[in-house]
Amino acid sequence: MRNKCFKFAILKQGILITVIMLLTVVCGFAQTAVVKGIITDELGDPIENAIIRGTDFEQQTITNEHGHYSLTVPSGRSIQLFIQHLSHQDTLITLQLKSKETHTLNVVLRTTGERLQTVNINGGPTVGYVQVNPKLTFQLPSPTGGMESLIKMLPGTSSTNELSSQYNVRGGNFDENLVFVNGIQIYRPFLVRNAQQEGMSFINSDLTGSVMFSAGGFDAKYGDKMSSVLDVIYKEPTKIGGSFSASLLGATAHAEGKVNNFSFLIGVRFKSNAYLLKSLETAGNYKPRFFDTQFLLNWKLTQKWSVSLLGNVSRNYYQFQPDSVNKNFGTIENPMKLRAFYEGQEVDRYQNYLGGLTFRYQPDQNNQIRLILSSYYAKESETYDILAQYWLNDIRLSGDGEVEVGDVLGYGSYLEHARNHLTSVVSAIDLQGVHDLPYHNKLEWGVKAQNEYIKDNIKEWIMIDSSGYTLPMIPTTPGEIVVAGDPARLLDFGEDNYLIANNTLNTWRFTGYIQDTWKIDNDSLSRFTLTGGLRYHFWTYNTKEFTVSPRLAFIYKPRWKHDWQFSLRTGLYYQPAFYREMRYPDGTLNPDIQSQRSVQVVAGSEYRFNLWRRPFKFTAEAYYKYLDRLITYNVNNVQIIYSGYNNAKGFATGIDLRLSGEFVRGLESWFSVSIMKTMEDVIGDYKIDADGNQVEVGYIPRPTDQRVAFNLFFQDHIPSFPQFRVHLNFVFASGLPYGPPNAEPAMRVFRTTWYRRVDLGLSFMLLEQSRDRMKHKSEFLRSIKNAGIYLEVFNILNIYNVSSYMWFTDIYNYQRPVPTYLTGRLVNVKFMVEF
């Protein structure tokens, strides 16, 4: 009875704090006006992603694909608007508006890379956030495509699996990244083990209007994770349009339009990467089918009220019937061959549905309140029955110099079975407010209540046989072969080699934040920007824990001849456990799980300059993250296997550098370098030294300890034939730690080979509106914005990178890792048209 009363009291406390934060919000009303219009080039074509911002006030915006923009500005005094685009000349405009006036300002930008040298630009707190152009997703040659393929190329992010859309950020794992679409949080599937099962990510690039990414030190408004935030806003159409694309890997289509006060976005995607998976080393029958449809409907009910509805239906199906594996591996001194033959199949299904209804109330240009009602439903199933027989042999040269299979080092067979089913429902109500206050203050706040229902039914077993004897899972006799491709299947199955668990979880989370951005002016120039905020989190699963996260960001823009900007960001970041983090390897749940915690300090700088009369930008960030209450884990392919305990502390430190700009006029390129080290100290982890004494292991590399990463995205065209373009994607990254499955973290003493990959894209633009619009008399051809044909060569150097390892025990009782390789060289052709 006391326990129930205590939980009820804590629950009331969380609700009370939520109400108090609502009541303490102070709404100020400053005198403002609105500037709107369209930005075009010299041919009258709209310019997308042009930045419009003030030199002495914080507000800024970007144009949509039709060149339209709308910006709230101070009234009653002279202001300067700075308009900038990567491929056009910067423009500075001075104007003065009356209170509540709506002024139409249409601007034509000249197509030159020259920038204004005399203007000191203050665009608000952008250091630490990277704005990504969604149009580049089609130019970037990548097997997966999508927005995440661009995010992987940014400094601080890394991925060593081209089949997956997941990425690590500054030493964190996949589950430490936040993703928002129109203010609604997006979740990744639970049961995916291998990258080829993933399907498509949620973000539809055809519908995307703007993308902001932070690799750490982000604001209090962005939730409770320890690594990164990806904030995506879908477009608001202003006229009828659409696109279509098709390739050997799938197809996409979208339509958009606006009728009076109603606008719509509808996108459909289909992916079947069987053609890509055929380049994997395991021969078999791959039957993946991934389908996704999304829509965004907007209604402007009155001048002050509007409502939007975001919907998604995703159905992913993956069937695989393995046939055989035949590969050589090892070293020059000790080469080996693995042969395997399979029977059976794997069938996986992932169904996801999302709905988000947003009510927006804007009484004036200085105040806005949003109410978001959202619900996410996922039904996942993983079923397989696979029988395999293996032979492990050495390789030697015969008398005539021919390579032949030598002695048997190990042999055996195993049978795997699984019937895993998971259902999850995450529903939330989120109230947010944004207020422009006097004295250059911007106040933002939010409160959220979220219900999580998860039902997980696990049933797995494995039987290993060697020479006709049924053996336990862990090797006990020499000559026995143990298949350990998936550590999750080699954890404690019990005496009968079974893993059976049935979990049902129904909990509530209450979160909220309040933050203020204050710009300090000096001689009508905003040189300092200070953003401070607080977050709180309460979870009914663990009522003993109530977290508060303070965060602070400081930006300084000196009055130097060159355009420099500096920032310092720090904060306390909690990551409350979601379902997988709190689950022990045996399938049961940890009732005392705590939030992982990180104290972060990030120092950054940004330098904008001209080179070859074209704009460039150099960014640099150095960071240190102290980590404690960590939940240790291992990674196999894209599956994260958690220990379920808060049993480690650690750190991550590094530096990220990026140079971007027009190395070729009109085409954006960049390269980035990341140097990072992340370590952890497992509590109670000991080893025996040479003298037989028990000593503490100390700090060891974390599974995501990738020391060096280099990314290059370069675009070029033939000077006399600009329709023909080249797109190069280059990734070079050091290996990750790994060790035997079911072993202590201290056994992660090996590292994978370096990840090396070059993807090449060649494109021919059949039609471009900026180039061909005046040439065609046909109304149909004039309606086409862009049309092109692309030829892509994935992994042009045909380097076989490693995704994971299988482990075998040979006749000498040595455990030998056998690499599982990713895709080889492959050619893809795709076609795209925009209208």
Side-chain angles (χ1 to χ4, degrees), residues 154-157 655-657 672-676 706-710:
L154 298 179
T157 64
I655 184 170
D656 298 324
L657 307 173
S672 65
V673 178
S674 297
I675 302 174
M676 186 269 295
Q706 189 173 68
R707 298 297 173 89
V708 180
F710 177 83

Side-chain angles (χ1 to χ4, degrees), residues 41-226:
D41 60 18
E42 294 168 302
L43 295 176
D45 297 315
I47 298 176
E48 184 180 5
N49 290 323
I51 301 174
I52 302 95
R53 56 189 178 186
T55 61
D56 60 346
F57 59 92
E58 178 187 346
Q59 286 81 2
Q60 68 174 11
T61 189
I62 62 173
T63 57
N64 61 19
E65 65 174 354
H66 305 295
H68 291 274
Y69 75 94
S70 179
L71 181 67
T72 301
V73 300
S75 61
R77 64 181 179 90
S78 178
I79 61 171
Q80 289 183 321
L81 290 182
F82 185 81
I83 304 174
Q84 177 189 20
H85 187 265
L86 191 64
S87 304
H88 297 79
Q89 182 181 8
D90 297 345
T91 302
L92 187 66
I93 297 176
T94 301
L95 68 162
Q96 182 171 344
L97 303 178
K98 299 178 181 179
S99 177
K100 299 183 179 180
E101 179 184 354
T102 298
H103 180 73
T104 299
L105 177 65
N106 299 325
V107 181
V108 178
L109 299 184
R110 297 181 180 178
T111 55
T112 174
E114 186 176 356
R115 292 167 52 90
L116 290 179
Q117 298 293 331
T118 58
V119 179
N120 222 339
I121 308 156
N122 183 13
T126 59
V127 175
Y129 293 86
V130 179
Q131 181 177 329
V132 182
N133 182 2
K135 293 294 184 182
L136 290 177
T137 58
F138 211 80
Q139 278 72 45
L140 180 70
S142 169
T144 55
M147 187 56 59
E148 288 81 1
S149 62
L150 283 175
I151 299 301
K152 292 179 184 180
M153 300 293 293
L154 298 179
T157 64
S158 63
S159 174
T160 56
N161 194 323
E162 65 270 10
L163 294 175
S164 173
S165 61
Q166 307 300 325
Y167 50 88
N168 302 318
V169 179
R170 292 179 177 174
N173 64 36
F174 307 146
D175 291 332
E176 296 179 21
N177 303 318
L178 282 164
V179 179
F180 293 96
V181 174
N182 282 28
I184 300 172
Q185 187 172 349
I186 306 302
Y187 299 91
R188 61 186 294 259
F190 290 93
L191 297 184
V192 171
R193 295 177 185 262
N194 299 308
Q196 52 264 37
Q197 303 169 345
E198 270 191 17
M200 298 172 291
S201 72
F202 181 91
I203 302 170
N204 189 328
S205 302
D206 294 337
L207 311 184
T208 301
S210 66
V211 180
M212 295 291 288
F213 177 77
S214 172
F218 44 86
D219 295 339
K221 65 181 180 180
Y222 278 126
D224 299 290
K225 296 283 188 178
M226 295 195 301

Side-chain angles (χ1 to χ4, degrees), residues 384-408:
Y384 54 81
D385 292 280
I386 297 178
L387 173 65
Q389 188 162 5
Y390 289 81
W391 286 268
L392 185 64
N393 300 80
D394 62 10
I395 299 176
R396 61 192 178 193
L397 293 177
S398 63
D400 56 1
E402 295 292 330
V403 177
E404 63 179 18
V405 177
D407 297 330
V408 175

Side-chain angles (χ1 to χ4, degrees), residues 717-778:
H717 61 73
I718 299 177
S720 59
F721 197 51
Q723 299 95 324
F724 184 81
R725 298 167 187 174
V726 179
H727 318 274
L728 183 68
N729 179 19
F730 176 82
V731 181
F732 188 71
S734 59
L736 298 173
Y738 74 96
N742 203 32
E744 298 295 329
M747 295 297 292
R748 290 195 299 260
V749 296
F750 306 101
R751 283 189 179 265
T752 61
T753 56
W754 284 58
Y755 185 84
R756 300 150 295 167
R757 186 176 178 90
V758 180
D759 297 322
L760 177 67
L762 304 174
S763 66
F764 179 75
M765 301 308 296
L766 301 172
L767 289 172
E768 286 185 293
Q769 193 176 61
S770 59
R771 184 191 73 216
D772 303 317
R773 187 173 71 102
M774 305 306 296
K775 297 180 181 180
H776 301 289
K777 296 181 179 181
S778 169

Side-chain angles (χ1 to χ4, degrees), residues 539-558:
W539 189 23
T540 58
Y541 182 82
N542 186 356
T543 57
K544 300 177 183 178
E545 185 179 64
F546 180 86
T547 64
V548 178
S549 305
R551 302 176 190 179
L552 183 67
F554 176 76
I555 295 177
Y556 170 61
K557 186 175 181 59

Side-chain angles (χ1 to χ4, degrees), residues 388-392 410-414 464-467 479-481 483:
Q389 188 162 5
Y390 289 81
W391 286 268
L392 185 64
Y411 64 93
S413 62
Y414 80 98
I464 299 176
D465 182 77
S466 178
S467 301
E480 157 197 346
I481 187 167
V483 181

Side-chain angles (χ1 to χ4, degrees), residues 249-446:
L249 302 177
T252 68
H254 101 278
E256 61 183 72
K258 183 176 182 180
V259 180
N260 298 325
N261 293 326
F262 172 77
S263 65
F264 65 90
L265 272 175
I266 300 175
V268 178
R269 296 180 294 173
F270 173 76
K271 180 179 179 180
S272 177
N273 56 356
Y275 171 67
L276 180 64
L277 299 181
K278 288 180 180 179
S279 66
L280 295 175
E281 61 184 2
T282 302
N285 187 13
Y286 294 89
K287 295 181 179 179
R289 296 194 303 271
F290 310 116
F291 175 79
D292 167 271
T293 182
Q294 294 185 30
F295 61 85
L296 177 63
L297 310 178
N298 294 288
W299 296 270
K300 189 170 184 180
L301 305 178
T302 66
Q303 289 295 325
K304 298 181 179 181
W305 284 93
S306 62
V307 61
S308 65
L309 176 63
L310 174 66
N312 172 72
V313 176
S314 176
R315 294 177 177 269
N316 300 322
Y317 174 84
Y318 176 80
Q319 182 182 6
F320 176 44
Q321 296 172 327
D323 180 66
S324 62
V325 171
N326 190 347
K327 65 179 176 181
N328 300 331
F329 67 99
T331 62
I332 297 177
E333 296 81 10
N334 189 21
M336 289 176 284
K337 174 181 282 290
L338 174 68
R339 292 173 296 161
F341 298 93
Y342 300 93
E343 291 182 11
Q345 69 173 353
E346 175 179 359
V347 178
D348 304 320
R349 292 180 174 87
Y350 309 98
Q351 301 179 33
N352 304 282
Y353 307 90
L354 181 138
L357 187 62
T358 301
F359 298 92
R360 183 179 290 104
Y361 174 63
Q362 190 168 1
D364 51 50
Q365 296 298 325
N366 303 297
N367 300 278
Q368 183 183 111
I369 295 176
R370 291 196 308 174
L371 176 65
I372 303 176
L373 308 176
S374 64
S375 184
Y376 168 80
Y377 172 80
K379 185 176 182 180
E380 306 176 23
S381 67
E382 177 189 45
T383 62
Y384 54 81
D385 292 280
I386 297 178
L387 173 65
Q389 188 162 5
Y390 289 81
W391 286 268
L392 185 64
N393 300 80
D394 62 10
I395 299 176
R396 61 192 178 193
L397 293 177
S398 63
D400 56 1
E402 295 292 330
V403 177
E404 63 179 18
V405 177
D407 297 330
V408 175
L409 300 178
Y411 64 93
S413 62
Y414 80 98
L415 175 63
E416 281 187 309
H417 168 91
R419 295 294 184 270
N420 299 328
H421 304 276
L422 185 142
T423 301
S424 62
V425 182
V426 181
S427 302
I429 177 170
D430 191 1
L431 184 63
Q432 302 173 357
V434 180
H435 310 279
D436 292 326
L437 305 180
Y439 307 107
H440 306 285
N441 273 24
K442 182 179 181 180
L443 180 68
E444 299 177 78
W445 57 269

